[in-house]
Amino acid sequence: MSRKKIRSALISVFDKSGLENISVALKNSDITVYSTGGTYNFLVEQGLSPIKVEDITSYPSILDGRVKTLHPKVFGGILARRNEDHLGQLSNYEIPEIDLVVVDLYPFEKTVASTDDEEAIIEKIDIGGIALIRAAAKNYNDVVIIPSKEQYSDLEEILNNDASTDLNDRKKLASQAFAVSSHYDSAIFNYFNRSVGLEDKLRISFQSASTLRYGENPHQQGIYFGEMNNVFHKLSGKDLSFNNLVDVDAAMQLMAEFVNDKPTVAVLKHTNPCGLATRDNIFSAWTDALAGDPVSAFGGVIIANTKIDLQTAEAVNELFYEVLMAPDFDQDALELLQKKKKRILLKINSFERSQKSYKTILNGVIMQDTDLKMENANDFECKTNQQPTANQIADLMFANKAVKHLKSNTIVLVRDQQLLGMGSGQTSRVDACKQAITKAGVMGFELEGAVMASDAFFPFPDCVELAHKAGIQAVVQPGGSIKDQLSIDYCNDNNLAMVFTGTRHFKH
């Protein structure tokens, strides 16, 4: 495949960092350079002799820099096919050919993230830069496009390789260019859509991706789109798998409910918490979380809401686990844990959760507000003659947090802020209740004085009756059934306390 030599370039970038080596390569390749404003000044400082764009167009930069490159004498040189007809027109109108376009757009997303000043945000919507990218990418047959500083290394390699490219090189860069421009436009749309709210329009765009070992199963390909490092820092261990990430997300969602609580540890398996405890210190929290189901904890994901110390690390290290996550680790604890090279250790940067949740179904996507609501004691409405005690209220709040993060239908049993038993993913709430009671018994827990939480209402009093016979003394549920009174009556007849939250927490 024949190669095309770069003889001229237009450079207009916001961020100049990384252009130093490019400048040297341009000079060595004897390439004619056209430039504007700050980029022109920077290139002069690097020893180049660029030509100002206004010397081509005979128009200065106007309107506070809003119009610099938007001119036929610029875009003609980019969009012209290198055939006799187009080259003849360029000659007639004294338009120079431009073989290379280098752009780095105004940082719109960073500006949105750093300020609420709408005027400042609007001024960071790049017009000329995005037009240059699209024009050069459209004419990839003849023109090389470098759409952002992320491609500077590609350009440096091209310039050091006789400053020439083949069609595949240019087409690949064009594809990257349209990825940059479409992502930029999506960010602008999403900013405006915050206030306008076009509910029938959806734009989701990510600029970074990580190829995973495989998907949910070995025969499925897996890719993660996003910036993991914004959420956590991987300290050691093997690469995170698709299933690891799904479990890590579930663990983060759960622990976000406990971020301001006393030391809390959760153990998850297949996204469901099988162990959970809050205590005065992290070691006790780990010990009692593990006691919830030490069998299921094998190969699970462990998360804490506070720093892991050496004592806790030594205890955790006795178990085979996939991932251990915490906001921090004592140095001696970290050194011990890192001796097991395949165990994944993650230092949590932020428990911030997305405001929206998405799922692919059928031939489309469904979107909803993320379930960020969590009830506290002030939201509890006691429906029974028996009032819950202060300790029971604390346990009911703990249980309600746990039940929110288990697959529906689900029941949770708790005492002294420790998960004793849970039933999850059952087609019948009665089955979930039976599973929770059985699980607690298998793990050696007595349920006398414990509390129960349900993710949805009780259509009949059967679950309350089962729980009462097992020793449960207080219940939290959303309420809302036309037969709520049946469960309330059972509680009143048997001196149980029951509170309604008014909020259902289905999870599918």
Side-chain angles (χ1 to χ4, degrees):
M1 188 176 294
S2 62
R3 300 179 67 84
K4 284 185 175 287
K5 182 86 170 178
I6 297 172
R7 293 183 171 83
S8 59
L10 171 62
I11 306 177
S12 181
V13 300
F14 177 84
D15 188 344
K16 317 299 187 294
S17 60
L19 271 185
E20 294 86 356
N21 291 342
I22 301 297
S23 300
V24 173
L26 286 167
K27 192 172 184 179
N28 293 338
S29 300
D30 195 26
I31 292 173
T32 301
V33 177
Y34 304 95
S35 193
T36 61
T39 307
Y40 172 88
N41 295 332
F42 180 87
L43 295 174
V44 170
E45 291 172 3
Q46 299 302 309
L48 272 71
S49 300
I51 299 169
K52 292 183 177 180
V53 166
E54 47 261 49
D55 291 341
I56 305 173
T57 64
S58 299
Y59 276 89
S61 172
I62 61 173
L63 305 179
D64 300 320
R66 284 189 166 195
V67 179
K68 293 191 287 284
T69 58
L70 295 169
H71 195 281
K73 284 202 170 185
V74 173
F75 282 84
I78 297 170
L79 284 165
R81 298 187 182 97
R82 272 41 172 184
N83 60 32
E84 185 176 350
D85 178 27
H86 281 198
L87 292 177
Q89 292 182 54
L90 293 186
S91 177
N92 287 340
Y93 294 105
E94 298 181 337
I95 299 173
E97 294 179 43
I98 296 175
D99 303 322
L100 166 67
V101 175
V102 183
V103 177
D104 187 68
L105 297 170
Y106 291 164
F108 178 80
E109 287 180 282
K110 287 183 179 179
T111 306
V112 170
S114 64
T115 183
D116 292 325
D117 184 344
E118 184 165 88
E119 184 176 348
I121 291 170
I122 297 304
E123 284 308 308
K124 286 298 184 287
I125 297 178
D126 205 314
I127 303 300
I130 208 79
L132 290 171
I133 288 173
R134 291 175 62 84
K138 176 177 180 176
N139 202 24
Y140 71 87
N141 193 64
D142 298 299
V143 178
V144 177
I145 175 60
I146 301 298
S148 77
K149 60 186 296 183
E150 301 302 321
Q151 285 76 42
Y152 282 1
S153 59
D154 294 325
L155 176 57
E156 193 172 348
E157 184 178 343
I158 289 169
L159 294 175
N160 292 328
N161 185 27
D162 196 34
S164 64
T165 60
D166 63 28
L167 186 61
N168 286 336
D169 296 330
R170 297 189 297 277
K171 192 169 186 178
K172 181 179 178 181
L173 287 167
S175 177
Q176 292 175 342
F178 285 117
V180 168
S181 66
S182 63
H183 177 80
Y184 198 78
D185 285 340
S186 293
I188 295 169
F189 165 77
N190 287 327
Y191 168 74
F192 278 93
N193 204 39
R194 288 181 188 178
S195 55
V196 178
L198 300 176
E199 294 182 354
D200 61 339
K201 304 291 188 297
L202 175 64
R203 300 291 184 274
I204 303 173
S205 178
F206 292 99
Q207 283 291 78
S208 60
S210 303
T211 300
L212 306 174
R213 297 200 302 271
Y214 50 79
E216 197 164 9
N217 298 290
H219 64 276
Q220 296 170 267
Q221 183 185 16
I223 300 174
Y224 174 79
F225 292 94
E227 295 283 356
M228 291 186 203
N229 290 337
N230 292 342
V231 182
F232 55 73
H233 176 57
K234 185 165 169 283
L235 301 175
S236 62
K238 61 187 179 182
D239 291 339
L240 285 154
S241 69
F242 181 98
N243 292 332
N244 288 155
L245 286 170
V246 172
D247 284 337
V248 163
D249 177 68
M252 293 283 287
Q253 298 287 333
L254 170 64
M255 197 52 67
E257 312 286 1
F258 295 90
V259 70
N260 295 317
D261 291 5
K262 290 181 178 181
T264 301
V265 173
V267 184
L268 290 89
K269 197 70 172 288
H270 297 297
T271 74
N272 288 306
C274 57
L276 180 65
T278 296
R279 292 293 180 261
D280 289 331
N281 62 76
I282 190 64
F283 177 74
S284 297
W286 159 249
T287 302
D288 289 345
L290 179 64
D293 191 345
V295 176
S296 296
F298 183 86
V301 170
I302 305 164
I303 187 168
N305 69 346
T306 191
K307 182 187 288 186
I308 300 292
D309 59 22
L310 180 60
Q311 182 185 24
T312 306
E314 289 173 337
V316 171
N317 222 28
E318 295 175 4
L319 176 77
F320 170 72
Y321 60 87
E322 284 282 332
V323 183
L324 173 59
M325 313 168 61
D328 206 354
F329 298 82
D330 281 338
Q331 186 58 37
D332 51 2
L334 183 60
E335 290 173 359
L336 172 68
L337 293 166
Q338 286 181 324
K339 290 180 180 179
K340 296 190 175 180
K341 303 299 183 183
K342 292 186 177 181
R343 306 285 175 84
I344 301 169
L345 301 179
L346 304 178
K347 182 177 178 180
I348 300 167
N349 297 330
S350 170
F351 282 101
E352 185 177 352
R353 291 173 285 182
S354 298
Q355 297 295 309
K356 300 290 184 181
S357 299
Y358 308 87
K359 183 180 290 187
T360 57
I361 63 165
L362 304 175
N363 62 345
V365 175
I366 52 176
M367 179 185 76
Q368 65 173 349
D369 296 334
T370 302
D371 186 1
L372 301 177
K373 183 173 173 55
M374 178 41 59
E375 302 73 45
N376 57 40
N378 293 329
D379 300 308
F380 289 174
E381 182 182 358
C382 186
K383 292 290 188 177
T384 53
N385 299 329
Q386 183 71 32
Q387 298 286 319
T389 66
N391 286 339
Q392 286 175 337
I393 289 174
D395 279 348
L396 290 169
M397 288 194 294
F398 181 97
N400 198 43
K401 291 177 181 180
V403 82
K404 174 183 171 182
H405 294 276
L406 282 154
K407 292 289 194 301
S408 301
N409 289 307
T410 180
I411 294 289
V412 162
L413 307 178
V414 166
R415 185 178 56 236
D416 298 330
Q417 297 188 67
Q418 179 187 19
L419 178 62
L420 305 180
M422 60 85 171
S424 66
Q426 299 301 305
T427 53
S428 159
R429 194 159 302 281
V430 173
D431 287 343
C433 187
K434 290 177 180 177
Q435 184 186 45
I437 294 168
T438 300
K439 191 78 170 179
V442 170
M443 294 304 148
F445 292 115
E446 293 290 336
L447 291 177
E448 192 63 39
V451 307
M452 175 173 72
S454 174
D455 63 329
F457 63 64
F458 298 115
F460 303 102
D462 42 11
C463 284
V464 178
E465 182 178 354
L466 282 169
H468 170 238
K469 289 178 179 179
I472 299 300
Q473 293 297 309
V475 180
V476 59
Q477 61 138 320
S481 170
I482 60 174
K483 296 183 178 181
D484 276 342
Q485 194 61 44
L486 295 177
S487 295
I488 295 170
D489 289 343
Y490 182 90
C491 289
N492 285 333
D493 290 342
N494 293 277
N495 298 317
L496 272 69
M498 178 181 283
V499 300
F500 283 11
T501 66
T503 302
R504 188 184 73 186
H505 290 295
F506 269 167
K507 184 181 179 186
H508 294 102

